[in-house]
Amino acid sequence: MDYELFMPEMAMLVFDMNRDGAVTWDEVDAQRAEEEAYLREHLTLLNEETPMRMELVSVKPEKKEYAGFTFSLRYVAEQPVKELMLHYNLLFDDLDPTHLSQLLISDSGNLEQGILSANSRTFHYASDRPHSFGAAFRAYLLLGIEHIWGGADHLLFLFALLLIVTRVKDAVGIVTAFTAAHSITLFLAATDRISFEPRWIEALIALSIGYVAVENLLGQSVRVRWAITFGFGLIHGLGFAGALGDIGLPPAYLLSSLLAFNLGVEAGQLVLVAAALPLLLLLRRQRWHRYWLRGASCLVLAVSLYWVLDRLGWLPGLS
């Protein structure tokens, strides 16, 4: 079986030979044997309690949501795989105890997904589970929810948009415009009809947040906010597509899985709106609301500018 492992640049510091705080392609390319030994020790697959033999097939630099390296591994079992146990111990003990790894197993249309962490380092998979449309749909629905709740930039964008809302009707228009826009670009990018540079898309997403914050400070009318939301929503859709590209879509259920992922994103953002909107409308009635609005918008602007500089590699000491 094949295992594709993507490690962001920061995670690659376990292979930092000269200890300069950065890992270059030359360093990675020069120590394949060390990398294979490290992965063999820290990433174990067992077929019915028997360890499978691992081979490092290739490693290449790649940009997904972040720059990093993709390791192509091949595991060989002596017997047909019926039950698989994954033991994942990468990075937890030697670099980052808060490290999280998203796992997706694709087996002829049967999908299983999970999150691996320092407190949850094993994953069990039974290959004789029924292959079905429902399994794929549920897996990608949950992935969509997890992505929106793990995407602080998308949530902050929605929060900034809602800061000047005065009526539920305004919020509905904003959310509808955002949904329509990012659904368009998510579909086009996920089906390879358009392509983009992830680094610039991530920077533009951060910039969109700052733009909305500036509008809030200048007193922009909420009546035209849906149009701004739609324009920037097209960019956010490419960000969603980048995350989905890291995971991949099962060919047998491509369109339904794409729909499920998008529905998961919508469900996640609607939870945010339902939770935040009543509080924001209540704050609108307070005398000191103007000061709250300006303070919150300034904070949102500062965070967005930091993200822009960080994602473009323009912060001192960061790449």
Side-chain angles (χ1 to χ4, degrees), residues 2 11 59 61 84 87 144 182 188 203 213 231:
D2 295 325
V59 56
L84 187 68
H87 293 283
H182 75 63
L188 293 175

Side-chain angles (χ1 to χ4, degrees), residues 1 3 49 61 76 88 98 126 130 154 191 195 203 207 223 235 240 264 282 284 316:
M1 62 173 291
Y3 192 123
E49 301 184 359
V76 179
Y88 184 100
T98 65
H154 304 300
T191 55
S195 60
L207 192 62
R223 293 181 181 179
I235 299 173
F240 293 141
L282 178 63
R284 291 284 302 184

